[in-house]
Amino acid sequence: MNDSPGCPLTDVAATYMPRLSEIPSEPGLAAAVDQHAAAVREALIPARRGPGNRTVRREELADYVLGFTDWLSRIDWTEPSGHDFATLRLTAVCWLIREHDLLDA
């Protein structure tokens, strides 16, 4: 999937993965990204899967990214120089990609 053209995880990682390097120097950013990652994880992993199966699945995260970026397109969002809701959410997606090794799957 990561080799296919237009893979949403590859595209998001290429753009927003570098923002993860800002986290160690900005504790507030670390907290915000952590909260966004938790929100995405909760949206993707229903409680019925139980505590033993809390892995983020690549296909589910890709679908989430497609929906989220589609919404951003519909509202004509443009990336700011700082951090807004969308950049924090996309940075959190990159954190999940990295933590769950989703580009190498």
Side-chain angles (χ1 to χ4, degrees), residues 48-61:
R48 67 181 177 276
R49 280 201 213 159
N53 191 3
R54 305 291 292 167
T55 302
V56 172
R57 295 180 182 156
R58 181 183 188 157
E59 295 79 16
E60 293 169 340
L61 188 58

Side-chain angles (χ1 to χ4, degrees), residues 16-72:
Y16 294 94
M17 195 69 79
R19 287 183 177 254
L20 293 177
S21 66
E22 301 170 23
I23 290 175
S25 62
E26 296 185 43
L29 178 59
V33 170
D34 184 58
Q35 288 176 342
H36 278 268
V40 172
R41 190 180 308 104
E42 290 304 311
L44 297 178
I45 303 173
R48 67 181 177 276
R49 280 201 213 159
N53 191 3
R54 305 291 292 167
T55 302
V56 172
R57 295 180 182 156
R58 181 183 188 157
E59 295 79 16
E60 293 169 340
L61 188 58
D63 287 345
Y64 177 88
V65 166
L66 283 174
F68 187 71
T69 55
D70 181 57
W71 172 73
L72 292 176

